[in-house]
Amino acid sequence: METFKEPIYYQNEHLCMKVWQFTNTNPKSRQLAQQWHYHKEVELIIVQEGKLDIRTPDNLYHLSPGEVVLIGSNQLHHSHKPEDEPLVYIVLHVDLQPYFDPAMMMYYRHFSEMVRPLEDLNYMFLENERAKQEIGRIIVDIHAEMMDKTKGYEIAMSMHIKHLLLTLLRHDRRELLQPFGFVDAAVMRPILDYVEAHLGEKIDMEEVSRSAGMSYTYFSKFFKKCVGVSFTDYVNRQRIRKAEQLLITKTDIVTDIAVAVGIENMAHFYELFKRYNGCTPKEYVRKLLRVVQ
């Protein structure tokens, strides 16, 4: 099973996005072997002609014309053309971080996927036709702006991304995107980046709190207030997310992968992995292997 971290080459570095229309006329029998892959950018897809299947470790999305799917940052996924008919679809990749201005910061922890994956929002495209149509139109408009590059298109693109996020908020009937306390990205982002860069090492909260210019006690309360979970819980979840990727990108044994994500106690690693995935690492890999067969 091949897996890789897909590099996304932005059409405009300042906008931190790539949007492209793909046309596939090959019969399904000539499709290349599909690969699990991931990237830091959030991905949205709208099918315009034909059919496309998108798989994640937990879900299968059957997309027909007008159907939309949302894939979160670093979410494992792969696609498959299930029929012989021509397929036309638009893919939008965007790094949301540059779009978080003060007006957005009450929702920062949600759109940064600190609490839950953005993939959970796909329910609205099944339950709410209006939401699906609005998101689809925004993706098409973003593609048109990028292709035309008329004067001020950079401003228009930024507005479209904000419109996209607002549309998700307004149509979230399950209230997954609840507003929370204001988060100062200038303070929080370096903390999250530090955790990401040191997952394979011991992460000492006292050291992190000092680097953030806070006392240990204040930092503990500050982090939980901003993120909604304790610092330790957040670090553990990020370690397991990394382990999920390594399990299908490396041939290392589970013990080595646990150490690579900073967990040397195997009983603790298995306990955490099962807590977040509902299965053991071996069962997780088997599930992904079955999906691509």
Side-chain angles (χ1 to χ4, degrees):
M1 177 171 55
E2 294 183 81
T3 311
F4 66 102
K5 182 174 182 179
E6 180 185 2
I8 303 299
Y9 302 104
Y10 301 146
Q11 291 141 307
N12 182 316
E13 290 295 326
H14 300 294
L15 295 174
C16 298
M17 73 170 70
K18 178 180 179 181
V19 58
W20 203 258
Q21 184 184 65
F22 294 89
T23 300
N24 187 332
T25 58
N26 290 332
K28 63 179 181 179
S29 60
R30 291 181 55 196
Q31 296 301 303
L32 297 175
Q34 298 300 309
Q35 292 181 312
W36 288 102
H37 62 282
Y38 61 98
H39 36 72
K40 71 173 183 177
E41 293 79 10
V42 171
E43 179 174 346
L44 289 109
I45 299 171
I46 179 171
V47 171
Q48 296 174 300
E49 296 180 31
K51 294 186 178 180
L52 178 67
D53 287 350
I54 302 292
R55 291 183 182 270
T56 67
D58 297 314
N59 295 290
L60 169 60
Y61 303 96
H62 298 290
L63 306 183
S64 298
E67 300 286 343
V68 172
V69 71
L70 170 61
I71 300 164
S73 174
N74 291 310
Q75 171 68 66
L76 287 166
H77 61 286
H78 76 79
S79 60
H80 172 65
K81 181 174 179 283
E83 298 185 356
D84 291 336
E85 63 183 293
L87 170 65
V88 181
Y89 60 106
I90 295 175
V91 179
L92 167 65
H93 294 105
V94 57
D95 180 359
L96 294 179
Q97 293 301 322
Y99 294 91
F100 289 118
D101 60 19
M104 282 290 300
M105 296 317 295
M106 290 181 67
Y107 302 95
Y108 180 80
R109 72 170 184 163
H110 295 295
F111 286 119
S112 292
E113 301 183 83
M114 297 180 188
V115 180
R116 66 173 73 247
L118 283 175
E119 184 189 2
D120 289 355
L121 296 179
N122 281 306
Y123 81 87
M124 69 177 67
F125 306 136
L126 299 174
E127 299 177 1
N128 189 326
E129 183 68 21
R130 182 180 173 188
K132 180 176 68 177
Q133 290 179 358
E134 286 190 26
I135 294 295
R137 280 195 297 269
I138 294 170
I139 298 171
V140 171
D141 289 344
I142 289 174
H143 177 257
E145 288 283 356
M146 184 65 83
M147 294 302 101
D148 294 342
K149 289 187 169 62
T150 54
K151 183 179 180 180
Y153 84 97
E154 301 92 343
I155 299 173
M157 298 284 266
S158 181
M159 292 172 63
H160 283 314
I161 294 298
K162 293 292 185 66
H163 185 196
L164 189 153
L165 298 178
L166 177 61
T167 301
L168 292 173
L169 284 168
R170 292 274 173 89
H171 290 289
D172 177 27
R173 295 174 178 174
R174 296 186 185 178
E175 299 293 339
L176 302 182
L177 300 173
Q178 284 285 349
F180 207 64
F182 178 85
V183 178
D184 188 341
V187 175
M188 183 58 66
R189 193 70 244 168
I191 296 171
L192 303 183
D193 289 343
Y194 178 90
V195 171
E196 179 66 23
H198 295 82
L199 285 177
E201 309 165 20
K202 179 181 178 180
I203 297 178
D204 183 65
M205 193 170 87
E206 188 161 353
E207 181 180 340
V208 177
S209 63
R210 282 199 303 270
S211 68
M214 305 177 195
S215 69
Y216 182 93
T217 302
Y218 182 83
F219 176 82
S220 178
K221 294 177 180 178
F222 166 83
F223 191 91
K224 188 165 187 177
K225 179 180 178 182
C226 291
V227 179
V229 297
S230 71
F231 181 74
T232 299
D233 287 343
Y234 176 79
V235 170
N236 284 337
R237 183 66 189 97
Q238 299 311 303
R239 292 193 197 278
I240 298 302
R241 286 189 69 182
K242 185 65 177 179
E244 293 165 10
Q245 296 170 356
L246 293 177
L247 280 167
I248 58 172
T249 60
K250 303 290 185 182
T251 57
D252 299 345
I253 60 175
V254 174
T255 303
D256 291 339
I257 288 175
V259 172
V261 298
I263 307 175
E264 297 187 1
N265 184 313
M266 287 305 298
H268 186 48
F269 176 76
Y270 277 101
E271 188 274 325
L272 287 174
F273 196 94
K274 195 161 189 178
R275 179 193 306 174
Y276 294 119
N277 288 287
C279 62
T280 67
K282 184 178 291 187
E283 290 168 341
Y284 182 82
V285 172
R286 285 176 180 168
K287 177 173 67 173
L288 268 63
L289 280 170
R290 286 197 302 270
V291 165
V292 296
Q293 291 174 346

